[in-house]
């Protein structure tokens, strides 16, 4: 056996004086022969100690000396070193450990190779992970599952499904972690149902992780009935499954059911954690339940400052129209990311505070935070609603150069709206023709709305026909097209539109408005008399309209959809759902409290005027959220600038 040279020892000692001083047994290293057990034992002890202490520099120095003399430590020490490399994002050190482990014909145990594969996956080096996997002399369920999970996370769905088949061909049986990973790689219901059958066959359908994954994937594909069936098949004692079903319902806009299950979960004795609260906040956001959202906020306060929860709170308050609460959250946030800034910018813009949104965007740039796709949508929306045409066009045309963001349909839609507001309809049409992607129905609707405001009948008819070509079931566009023809006295065309609606079985969705009072939701629909106080509401509404007529209110019959005449036309406007909800709010909420209403259809011009006058006469703030935007009525003025 060859003796270790003093030159090697000096080199090692020079690089690591602390190592020498901490280990008395290495002081006379030069006098040891490799066959002397004192040297390798002492070196391995030091290496293990540095690994457990997460002292990466000295651990790597010890590893270099071990590598020089073909000495290998136990698997646990290496696993600790690899964890340290991951924690420090030390990719090159991790690769050096890999080289050492496979040097001079040495083959580490499967356990350690799996840790190496996982290291490369965590570093995002999927190709390196696959190389290690392919050279493994023996693969177990952990090896296969790690790769399947990595492919699923990287959206390489075909590869993940292929590996599931290959592992079974090699005689390796998938476990609950394998299936919970591969389920998320399902790119269609056919694959999902096949996997579900396999899971039931081998008895893993009761496993918490598998059930959670099944619920997640069924929810992602809009199969809420199947997701609920998986949830209900077994009484669960695990918070993970509760969180999955509540998240699935909230993501699929079934906020009522999500909140119902959240209450069930609480009654069952489970404490809500961050993922569940995030989903519940999303449900409150979709239903515009501000008071319930505030109750959830109380639960959030029990946790430490959490970026994800704070962003969810911010989004909830913005979309429930409470900018004061949103701003309070934003100001107090210790940590803000691009999502935080984008949410606040979009919230300000959609609620009519365009100048404040643009000021916030400037502050964001000063802090060096790079805008994303959503940020620029919010900025363009703000420019549109503030009438800042040139500024908006500048941001649109320079977004690729300044921020590396390619314009998408939402950006085009905002810019078309911007030009339409300014009456520059020909430029809006040119922009649609220049789009790299094909204009969708939303894009054409933006042009249609501009034409409606500026009464450009020819372009409006063209835009409406394009919307109906792309979305033949859009009842609102049929109605708007019919009204455009009616206003131009083109009665034959009106009849043709209505025949088309009848032939295709299209009916205008009834207007519905709802308001939250004392933690209860009260819904109103035109012509529906089911509300227990409807008679009193109608009396109060008629009295209010009489008072408003005394200050100049005249019902705008341009928004009547039926062929009615005279007083009949005015009566058809009188009982629109938002009017009923406003009156109920006046009756039920104390003076000074904001009246907040959610509406399923875009607010009509007559109701918009009604809300402005009521807000001024009753000295109330009225907030109405329709599918397009938010309307804040105060002192006879609306935040939308009378364009929606």
């Amino acid at each position: 056996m060859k003796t270790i040279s003093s030159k090697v020892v000096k080199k090692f000692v020079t690089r690591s004086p602390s190592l020498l001083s901490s280990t008395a047994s290495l002081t006379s290293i030069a006098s040891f022969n490799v066959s002397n057990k004192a040297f390798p034992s002492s070196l391995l002890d030091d290496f293990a100690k540095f690994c457990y202490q997460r002292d990466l520099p000295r651990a790597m120095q010890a590893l270099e000396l071990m590598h020089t003399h073909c000495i290998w430590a136990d698997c646990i020490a290496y696993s600790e070193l690899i964890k340290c490399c991951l924690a420090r994002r030390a990719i090159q050190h991790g690769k050096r450990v890999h080289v050492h482990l496979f040097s001079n014909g040495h083959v580490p145990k499967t356990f350690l190779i799996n840790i190496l594969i996982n290291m490369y996956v965590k570093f995002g080096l999927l190709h390196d992970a696959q190389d290690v996997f392919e050279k493994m002399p023996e693969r177990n369920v952990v090896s296969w599952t790690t790769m399947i999970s990595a492919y699923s996370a990287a959206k390489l769905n075909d590869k993940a499904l292929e590996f599931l088949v290959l592992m079974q061909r090699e005689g390796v049986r998938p476990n609950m972690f394998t299936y919970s990973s591969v389920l998320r790689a399902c790119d269609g219901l056919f694959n999902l149902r096949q996997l579900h059958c396999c899971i039931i066959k081998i008895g893993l359908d009761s496993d918490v992780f598998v059930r959670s994954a099944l619920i997640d994937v069924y929810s992602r594909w809009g199969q809420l009935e199947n997701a609920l069936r998986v949830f209900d098949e077994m009484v669960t004692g695990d918070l993970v499954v509760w969180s999955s079903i509540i998240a699935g319902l909230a993501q699929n806009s079934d906020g009522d059911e999500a909140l119902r299950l959240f209450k069930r979960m609480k009654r069952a004795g489970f404490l809500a954690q961050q993922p569940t609260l995030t989903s519940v906040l999303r449900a409150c956001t979709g239903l515009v339940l501000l008071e319930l959202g505030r109750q959830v906020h109380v639960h959030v306060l029990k946790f430490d400052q959490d970026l994800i929860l704070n962003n969810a709170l911010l989004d909830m308050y913005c979309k429930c129209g409470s900018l004061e609460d949103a701003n309070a959250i934003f100001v107090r946030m210790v940590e803000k990311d691009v999502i935080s800034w984008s949410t606040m910018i979009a919230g300000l813009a959609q609620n009519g505070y365009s100048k404040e949104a643009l000021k916030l965007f400037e502050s964001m740039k000063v802090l060096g935070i790079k805008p994303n796709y959503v940020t620029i949508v919010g900025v363009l929306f703000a420019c549109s609603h503030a009438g800042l045409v040139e500024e908006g066009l500048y941001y649109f045309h320079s977004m690729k150069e300044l921020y590396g963001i390619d314009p998408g349909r939402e950006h085009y839609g905002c810019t078309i709206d911007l030009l339409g507001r300014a009456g520059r309809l020909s430029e809006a049409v040119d922009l649609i023709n220049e789009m790299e992607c094909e204009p969708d129905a939303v894009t054409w609707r933006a042009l249609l709305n501009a034409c409606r405001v500026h009464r450009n009948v020819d372009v409006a008819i063209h835009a409406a026909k394009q919307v109906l070509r792309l979305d033949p079931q859009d009842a609102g566009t049929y109605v708007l097209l019919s009204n455009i023809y009616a206003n131009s006295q083109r009665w034959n065309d009106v009849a043709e539109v209505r025949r088309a609606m009848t032939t295709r079985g299209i009916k205008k969705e009834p207007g519905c408005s709802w308001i939250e009072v004392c933690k209860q939701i009260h819904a109103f629909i035109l012509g529906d008399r089911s509300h227990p106080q409807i008679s009193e509401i109608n009396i109060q509404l008629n009295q209010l309209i009489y008072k408003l007529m005394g200050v100049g209110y005249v019902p705008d019959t341009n928004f009547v959809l039926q062929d009615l005449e005279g007083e009949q036309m005015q009566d058809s406007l009188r009982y629109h759902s938002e009017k009923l909800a406003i009156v109920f709010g006046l009756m039920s909420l104390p003076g000074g409290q904001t009246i907040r209403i959610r509406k399923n259809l875009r607010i009509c011009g007559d109701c918009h005027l009604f809300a402005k006058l009521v807000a001024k006469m009753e000295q109330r703030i009225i907030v109405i959220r329709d599918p397009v935007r938010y309307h804040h009525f105060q002192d006879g003025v609306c935040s939308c600038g009378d364009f929606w």
Side-chain angles (χ1 to χ4, degrees):
M1 303 283 295
K2 70 178 181 181
T3 304
I4 302 173
S5 70
S6 59
K7 184 177 180 181
V8 171
V9 175
K10 284 180 181 178
K11 181 179 179 183
F12 177 68
V13 170
T14 303
R15 280 167 35 187
S16 183
S18 57
L19 176 63
L20 182 61
S21 62
S22 65
T23 311
S25 61
L26 293 182
T27 54
S28 55
I29 235 174
S31 64
F32 283 129
N33 188 281
V34 174
S35 61
N36 190 322
K37 294 182 179 179
F39 167 64
S41 175
S42 175
L43 181 57
L44 291 175
D45 287 344
D46 285 326
F47 174 71
K49 181 177 70 174
F50 298 143
C51 290
Y52 289 126
Q53 291 176 347
R54 301 292 175 93
D55 188 339
L56 185 58
R58 290 200 287 180
M60 292 304 297
Q61 288 169 358
L63 181 135
E64 290 296 336
L65 189 57
M66 290 161 52
H67 184 72
T68 300
H69 296 288
C70 301
I71 300 171
W72 287 273
D74 65 88
C75 291
I76 303 300
Y78 287 119
S79 70
E80 291 297 318
L81 179 57
I82 292 171
K83 288 178 187 176
C84 187
C85 292
L86 278 169
R88 306 280 183 84
R89 298 294 299 171
I91 297 175
Q92 295 307 316
H93 287 328
K95 288 185 173 182
R96 188 72 190 97
V97 175
H98 176 190
V99 170
H100 165 67
L101 287 173
F102 284 90
S103 61
N104 295 301
H106 180 262
V107 179
K109 293 181 179 179
T110 303
F111 158 76
L112 197 52
I113 301 177
N114 288 338
I115 292 175
L116 270 178
I117 294 172
N118 182 62
M119 177 192 77
Y120 281 123
V121 169
K122 294 280 180 63
F123 280 143
L125 303 173
L126 196 50
H127 182 73
D128 295 85
Q130 186 168 313
D131 283 346
V132 175
F133 177 83
E134 289 175 350
K135 293 173 183 174
M136 290 181 76
E138 180 183 351
R139 306 182 186 103
N140 61 16
V141 67
V142 177
S143 320
W144 286 98
T145 300
T146 303
M147 290 305 302
I148 288 171
S149 178
Y151 288 133
S152 295
K155 306 300 182 187
L156 298 172
N157 298 335
D158 290 342
K159 200 72 176 173
L161 293 166
E162 177 190 342
F163 265 46
L164 179 68
V165 175
L166 291 175
M167 76 179 289
Q168 292 180 87
R169 285 179 182 171
E170 285 199 8
V172 181
R173 184 177 179 178
N175 62 15
M176 68 283 292
F177 302 111
T178 316
Y179 278 113
S180 62
S181 296
V182 80
L183 277 168
R184 293 183 170 90
C186 288
D187 51 4
L189 289 174
F190 178 74
N191 288 335
L192 176 56
R193 285 167 180 154
Q194 280 192 317
L195 284 173
H196 195 173
C197 289
C198 293
I199 289 165
I200 293 171
K201 189 180 295 184
I202 63 176
L204 282 176
D205 51 317
S206 60
D207 179 80
V208 167
F209 295 102
V210 175
R211 289 179 68 204
S212 177
L214 278 168
I215 291 169
D216 288 343
V217 182
Y218 273 125
S219 299
R220 190 178 77 205
W221 285 97
Q223 298 284 308
L224 287 185
E225 186 178 342
N226 285 325
L228 282 165
R229 188 176 292 118
V230 172
F231 175 78
D232 289 330
E233 277 173 355
M234 190 171 298
V235 177
T236 178
D238 196 283
L239 185 61
V240 174
V241 180
W242 282 100
S243 296
S244 293
I245 190 63
I246 291 170
L249 291 164
Q251 288 164 4
N252 282 274
S253 302
D254 194 347
D256 288 326
E257 187 66 13
L259 294 174
R260 188 184 68 80
L261 281 178
F262 177 62
K263 291 176 184 176
R264 267 183 60 190
M265 186 192 87
K266 298 258 301 174
R267 284 196 295 268
F270 291 94
L271 295 175
Q273 299 296 322
Q274 184 250 53
T276 316
L277 289 174
T278 303
S279 299
V280 173
L281 283 169
R282 177 178 290 181
C284 294
T285 302
L287 295 171
V288 200
L289 298 178
L290 179 61
E291 294 307 316
L292 188 56
R294 284 176 172 151
Q295 291 180 52
V296 179
H297 189 175
V298 173
H299 290 283
V300 173
L301 293 174
K302 298 174 185 177
F303 294 85
D304 294 330
Q305 286 284 326
D306 182 280
L307 180 61
I308 295 174
L309 272 175
N310 279 336
N311 283 342
L313 276 171
L314 198 60
D315 187 51
M316 185 272 294
Y317 280 125
C318 283
K319 289 181 178 173
C320 287
S322 182
L323 269 296
E324 301 84 359
D325 290 312
N327 189 60
I329 294 291
F330 186 76
V331 170
R332 288 200 301 266
M333 286 175 68
V334 176
E335 180 187 2
K336 300 183 183 81
D337 61 4
V338 66
I339 296 173
S340 316
W341 289 90
S342 300
T343 300
M344 197 66 201
I345 289 168
L348 287 165
Q350 290 173 337
N351 280 276
Y353 299 97
S354 297
K355 293 181 180 178
E356 290 81 354
L358 294 174
K359 286 179 184 176
L360 195 63
F361 179 57
E362 292 302 319
S363 300
M364 175 183 175
K365 291 193 295 182
V366 168
L367 291 173
I369 299 170
K370 186 178 179 181
N372 64 10
Y373 186 101
V374 177
T375 318
I376 303 302
V377 172
V379 168
L380 292 173
F381 193 97
C383 289
S384 173
H385 286 253
L388 301 174
V389 180
E390 298 308 321
E391 291 87 340
L393 290 175
Y394 167 75
Y395 285 123
F396 176 77
H397 290 299
S398 62
M399 57 189 287
K400 173 67 174 176
E401 180 183 348
L402 292 177
Y403 311 116
I405 301 169
D406 292 313
R409 285 192 174 92
E410 291 84 357
H411 303 113
Y412 277 103
C414 287
T415 309
I416 290 162
D417 184 60
L418 171 75
L419 292 168
R421 278 175 172 269
R424 294 160 64 167
L425 296 178
S426 60
E427 292 177 61
V429 173
D430 290 341
L431 186 60
I432 288 179
N433 293 331
E434 293 170 8
M435 287 178 65
E436 294 183 8
C437 50
E438 184 180 352
D440 62 359
V442 176
T443 307
W444 286 108
R445 283 192 196 101
L447 179 63
L448 178 58
N449 288 331
C451 294
R452 177 182 61 84
V453 172
H454 294 286
R455 299 186 182 277
N456 188 317
V457 176
D458 293 335
V459 178
I461 291 170
H462 174 68
K465 288 182 177 179
Q466 293 301 318
V467 173
L468 296 177
R469 177 179 63 84
L470 296 165
D471 186 3
Q473 300 300 310
D474 184 9
T477 299
Y478 281 104
V479 172
L480 186 55
L481 183 58
S482 174
N483 286 350
I484 290 170
Y485 283 137
N487 289 334
S488 303
Q489 306 292 306
R490 295 170 60 171
W491 303 114
N492 290 336
D493 291 322
V494 170
E496 184 180 340
V497 170
R498 294 189 178 181
R499 274 197 301 272
M501 291 180 70
T502 303
T503 302
R504 295 176 181 175
I506 296 169
K507 294 182 180 179
K508 182 181 180 295
E509 182 182 1
C512 178
S513 299
W514 54 98
I515 180 172
E516 184 180 5
V517 174
C518 297
K519 301 178 184 177
Q520 286 190 327
I521 304 302
H522 297 260
F524 298 92
I525 300 174
L526 177 65
D528 178 36
R529 298 186 59 84
S530 61
H531 193 279
Q533 294 174 261
I534 190 64
S535 296
E536 185 183 353
I537 293 168
N538 285 338
I539 291 170
Q540 294 285 343
L541 174 58
N542 289 328
Q543 291 176 354
L544 184 58
I545 289 175
Y546 181 77
K547 287 168 62 179
L548 291 177
M549 285 181 170
V551 295
Y553 168 63
V554 177
D556 188 346
T557 55
N558 285 323
F559 295 94
V560 177
L561 304 180
Q562 296 89 3
D563 291 328
L564 302 174
E565 296 182 0
E567 291 182 359
Q568 283 183 306
M569 298 178 74
Q570 294 187 13
D571 287 344
S572 71
L573 292 169
R574 186 180 297 261
Y575 302 109
H576 277 191
S577 62
E578 54 267 59
K579 289 189 177 79
L580 297 171
I582 289 171
V583 171
F584 181 71
L586 291 171
M587 292 166 50
S588 307
L589 298 173
Q593 185 171 339
T594 300
I595 297 172
R596 301 179 186 277
I597 295 167
R598 174 74 167 93
K599 192 175 182 335
N600 66 330
L601 301 177
R602 187 172 60 196
I603 186 171
C604 79
D606 181 67
C607 290
H608 194 269
L609 174 61
F610 176 85
K612 287 198 298 183
L613 294 175
V614 170
K616 184 174 183 179
M617 176 177 283
E618 301 294 327
Q619 296 185 332
R620 287 285 193 116
I621 297 174
I622 301 172
V623 179
I624 299 179
R625 176 187 172 185
D626 68 15
V628 179
R629 55 180 58 91
Y630 308 82
H631 301 267
H632 291 251
F633 300 96
Q634 186 174 12
D635 296 328
V637 177
C638 180
S639 60
C640 76
D642 295 340
F643 183 91
W644 69 98

